[in-house]
DNA sequence: TGAAGCATGTAATTTGTTACATGATTGG
DNA sequence: CCAATCATGTAACAAATTACATGCTTCA
């Protein structure tokens, strides 16, 4: 019934955390939940939810209940072991600082022309910032503190990225030459 | 001699980029090079260098030359195809904005007590910031622009993280109670 | 009613990480 | 000369991404 101990990954805790919030859900339901909550800074593919729930259930962190009607989907919920694991995780704040693997930085590092790179990255960063800020509009701040704070962090960091690329752009193109459309462009 | 087309990943470009800088290297040498350059924001395990160089060589991006003496290690260098691939990569600035998967944010999101989490994350972020700034001390800024800029970006983003956690800390513990050492601490 | 698009699930592929094994070097 | 450490390589393992396959709805 309750297999070997497994290693709990961030993915695991997302599943556990979401199930705590929602009580019970199918893998696909979890995917949706995730997309609308953590999804803004930590995306999971739906395939992952199938394997992860199964893994967690095998190890005794989740209880599996088959629907009796229609498609007889699997619905998962937390066991006591699952709840405890989540609590233990919360009780032990991580000091992990993962690397910031930004593809743009890699190109910058290997001498891609900043004047070419900066505008592209700048626009992408601005788009992302706008999106995050739009989400904050909706979030009244009435709900739980955690998600709100995480969103705040995302906004601040993204804003810093925007500012960084703005500076790079400014430094790399003193006089940004915009291609002016010639009178007659036909050759 | 020159196998199928393969997908070039960030790892690939690191290998190509480093080989462009250094001319020729063994996988292990690449690992060292990487550790001292991109390593500050993009770490590669040495095992990866073995597989990646082989993969790239099979696909014709690298030339493989065995040492004739001693251990007869494999030394790799760029082929024209490799050089071209690197150039094409540089010519096409990416607009990818990867997710910031910060474990600390996940804990924050799922309602870990900020008063517990913030100090730990704050210290980690400060340590990292200090490290990056130490590196910048050494870097006179005389070398190529790219690495310097990437470092700059890292510093700015990390600095913002520090500031974020400072704020969280300030907001979560209005009166930071520091455990005062009692007169006699023995029970 | 049938085409589009979500919902649901599994499988293959790729990538990254850890672990193992052993060869060389070198300071004590 | 031996123990520790670095260098070198392979293999096993775990995880994430992509692809495939189909079932259900629904709205034109």
């Amino acid at each position: 019934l309750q297999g070997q101990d497994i290693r709990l990954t961030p993915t695991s805790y997302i599943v556990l955390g979401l199930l705590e919030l929602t009580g019970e859900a199918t893998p696909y339901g979890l995917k949706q939940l995730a997309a609308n909550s953590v999804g803004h800074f930590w995306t999971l593919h739906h395939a992952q939810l199938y394997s992860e729930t199964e893994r967690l259930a095998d190890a005794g962190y989740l209880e599996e209940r088959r629907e009796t009607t229609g498609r007889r989907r699997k619905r998962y919920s937390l066991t006591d072991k699952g709840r405890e694991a989540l609590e233990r995780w919360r009780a032990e704040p991580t000091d992990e600082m993962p690397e910031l693997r930004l593809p743009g930085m890699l190109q910058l590092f290997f001498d891609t022309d900043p004047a070419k790179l900066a505008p592209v990255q700048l626009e992408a960063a601005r788009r992302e910032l706008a999106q995050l800020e739009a989400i904050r509009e909706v979030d009244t701040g009435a709900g739980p503190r955690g998600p709100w704070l995480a969103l705040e962090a995302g906004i601040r960091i993204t804003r810093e990225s925007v500012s960084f690329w703005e500076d790079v752009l400014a430094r790399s193109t003193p006089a940004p030459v915009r291609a002016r459309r010639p009178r007659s462009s036909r050759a």
Side-chain angles (χ1 to χ4, degrees), chain A:
Chain A
L1 229 292
Q2 185 166 317
Q4 324 316 323
D5 265 18
I6 59 176
R7 175 148 42 157
L8 297 179
T9 66
T11 307
S12 314
Y13 290 111
I14 292 177
V15 170
L16 295 176
L18 290 177
L19 280 177
E20 184 184 53
L21 288 177
T22 197
E24 198 190 36
T26 65
Y28 200 84
L30 285 173
K31 179 219 151 192
Q32 317 237 53
L33 277 174
N36 295 316
S37 52
V38 266
H40 306 300
F41 66 102
W42 203 304
T43 303
L44 300 181
H45 297 262
H46 78 278
Q48 256 175 293
L49 274 319
Y50 288 97
S51 41
E52 189 63 23
T53 44
E54 192 181 322
R55 208 173 73 99
L56 289 173
D58 284 352
Y61 295 92
L62 305 185
E63 191 196 327
E64 183 184 313
R65 197 167 66 77
R66 283 203 101 99
E67 291 179 345
T68 58
T69 103
R71 216 184 294 197
R72 301 178 43 69
R73 295 174 302 174
K74 293 176 182 171
R75 315 189 119 261
Y76 292 95
S77 54
L78 288 181
T79 61
D80 285 344
K81 183 174 178 184
R83 248 179 298 273
E84 280 160 24
L86 196 50
E87 263 323 307
R88 257 199 310 284
W89 180 62
R90 288 203 182 100
E92 213 165 288
T94 179
D95 67 344
E96 248 182 291
M97 290 289 289
E99 286 166 7
L100 264 29
R101 299 189 163 191
L102 313 177
M105 286 305 148
L106 215 49
Q107 286 195 320
L108 192 59
F109 187 94
F110 285 114
D111 282 325
T112 295
D113 181 0
K116 291 266 171 56
L117 180 57
V120 175
Q121 286 281 317
L122 180 53
E123 201 200 313
R126 279 187 176 146
R127 232 194 335 265
E128 177 151 339
L129 182 56
Q131 240 178 286
L132 293 176
E133 281 174 336
I135 294 168
R136 191 171 52 181
E137 286 300 307
V138 177
D139 187 337
T140 63
R145 224 67 215 118
W148 193 88
L149 283 172
L151 181 57
E152 176 74 8
I155 289 176
R156 289 175 63 162
I157 289 179
T158 307
R159 192 175 284 146
E160 188 60 30
S161 297
V162 168
S163 140
F164 171 76
W165 287 112
E166 279 172 353
D167 291 354
V168 171
L169 186 58
R171 277 186 254 165
S172 66
T173 65
V177 177
R178 177 171 304 219
R180 210 173 298 174
R181 180 186 299 268
R183 273 302 164 85
S184 107
S185 65
R186 296 289 180 87

